[in-house]
Amino acid sequence: MKRHLKGLALKQYKATLPKFNQRQKNIIVGTLLGDSTLLKSKAIKSLYSLKFEQQAKNKDYLDSIYNEFIDWSGSPPKFYIKECGFIKSYWFKTYGHRAFDFYANQFYAINDETKDKTRDKTKKRKKVVPKLIHRWLNEESLAYWYMDDGNKDKYGYVLNTQGFSLRDNERLADALGKCFKFEVNIHKDNNYQTGKRGHRLYITARSRDNFTKVVKDYILPSFKYKLF
């Protein structure tokens, strides 16, 4: 029914949406630490919408998130297919809504960037780690963060935080220590193909069992391979 709402009807519908429940908040926080993105419309009264995107093989995971935000979205998830026929990803986004303003203010900052040739400064939004992230990390938000952008190795668990600055990684490591008593190392991670340098978090072998215990009840069946 709501799929075809536009204009005033859509505005009235969005006004009836309730506040986010705790699970929705946990998903927002966890996935913003991972791969989800807040997009800002170009309209005069610009609104933020939340875009979730995963590899096509993670369809079940994204469908489960969509089911939690179905009232907030006008379209179901879809595959992003390139002209050559290659399926790049699977994604959906929510309506633009003022409810996302808080998260945009917490998870994004405006940086001035200088173009080499013209020396003209342009402003770019960059994802950052909120100063109060330790207040919002719980077992479920951590599980969504890990499902969204984590993996295991032989000894411990990795959280792929290369998109964040070293300072942000330090803030996350500190929050994981405070919230869960994890032992966390920060590893350098250089991409030799792109030349980009970054850092990622490593949950050490000493905290492996504790990490598993904390998140296992929230990990979807399709992602159990990330734990066991």
Side-chain angles (χ1 to χ4, degrees):
M1 296 282 288
K2 64 184 178 64
R3 306 290 184 208
H4 306 292
L5 295 178
K6 295 181 180 180
L8 180 59
L10 177 58
K11 183 178 180 180
Q12 291 174 337
Y13 170 76
K14 290 196 291 185
T16 68
L17 290 170
K19 293 182 179 180
F20 295 128
N21 61 39
Q22 190 58 53
R23 169 161 286 186
Q24 289 171 326
K25 292 178 182 179
N26 292 339
I27 292 172
I28 293 170
V29 170
T31 63
L32 279 173
L33 290 174
D35 291 328
S36 69
T37 308
L38 280 166
L39 306 174
K40 193 172 186 179
S41 70
K42 296 181 180 180
I44 296 177
K45 294 182 178 180
S46 55
L47 298 173
Y48 287 99
S49 60
L50 186 57
K51 182 180 180 181
F52 299 93
E53 188 168 14
Q54 285 283 312
Q55 297 179 43
K57 67 178 183 179
N58 296 333
K59 180 179 182 298
D60 289 347
Y61 169 63
L62 204 71
D63 285 340
S64 72
I65 293 179
Y66 172 71
N67 287 335
E68 299 293 337
F69 288 90
I70 189 169
D71 292 334
W72 289 79
S73 180
S75 301
K78 63 187 74 174
F79 291 104
Y80 173 32
I81 304 175
K82 291 188 174 182
E83 292 183 1
C84 64
F86 174 75
I87 299 177
K88 181 181 179 182
S89 62
Y90 188 63
W91 68 278
F92 79 94
K93 69 176 182 177
T94 67
Y95 293 123
H97 199 283
R98 289 297 176 200
F100 294 112
D101 286 359
F102 170 79
Y103 296 98
N105 291 334
Q106 298 297 320
F107 280 90
Y108 284 85
I110 301 296
N111 287 348
D112 286 335
E113 292 195 344
T114 303
K115 297 179 181 179
D116 293 335
K117 294 182 179 180
T118 64
R119 293 294 178 181
D120 292 332
K121 286 188 175 181
T122 58
K123 291 184 177 181
K124 183 178 180 181
R125 294 168 62 245
K126 182 179 180 180
K127 192 186 281 190
V128 297
V129 175
K131 293 180 180 179
L132 299 179
I133 190 61
H134 60 281
R135 295 187 180 181
W136 306 327
L137 273 180
N138 55 41
E139 294 178 351
E140 188 170 41
S141 59
L142 175 60
Y144 273 95
W145 178 14
Y146 182 65
M147 286 190 290
D148 214 66
D149 208 12
N151 58 274
K152 67 177 182 178
D153 71 4
K154 185 176 180 180
Y155 301 105
Y157 292 109
V158 175
L159 291 164
N160 292 295
T161 50
Q162 295 92 329
F164 292 119
S165 68
L166 175 58
R167 184 176 180 180
D168 280 343
N169 272 274
E170 292 170 342
R171 180 172 291 157
L172 286 171
D174 183 64
L176 289 168
K178 286 181 177 178
C179 295
F180 307 107
K181 309 301 181 185
F182 295 154
E183 182 180 86
V184 184
N185 292 335
I186 300 175
H187 289 180
K188 290 183 178 180
D189 187 75
N190 298 330
N191 189 321
Y192 295 104
Q193 292 182 336
T194 64
K196 293 183 179 180
R197 297 181 178 181
H199 297 83
R200 61 180 184 173
L201 300 182
Y202 188 75
I203 312 295
T204 69
R206 289 183 181 180
S207 295
R208 183 184 179 100
D209 291 343
N210 189 20
F211 181 89
T212 304
K213 182 179 179 181
V214 166
V215 302
K216 65 182 180 63
D217 290 340
Y218 301 98
I219 300 295
L220 298 180
S222 60
F223 275 156
K224 290 295 185 182
Y225 72 91
K226 288 194 172 190
L227 288 182
F228 309 110

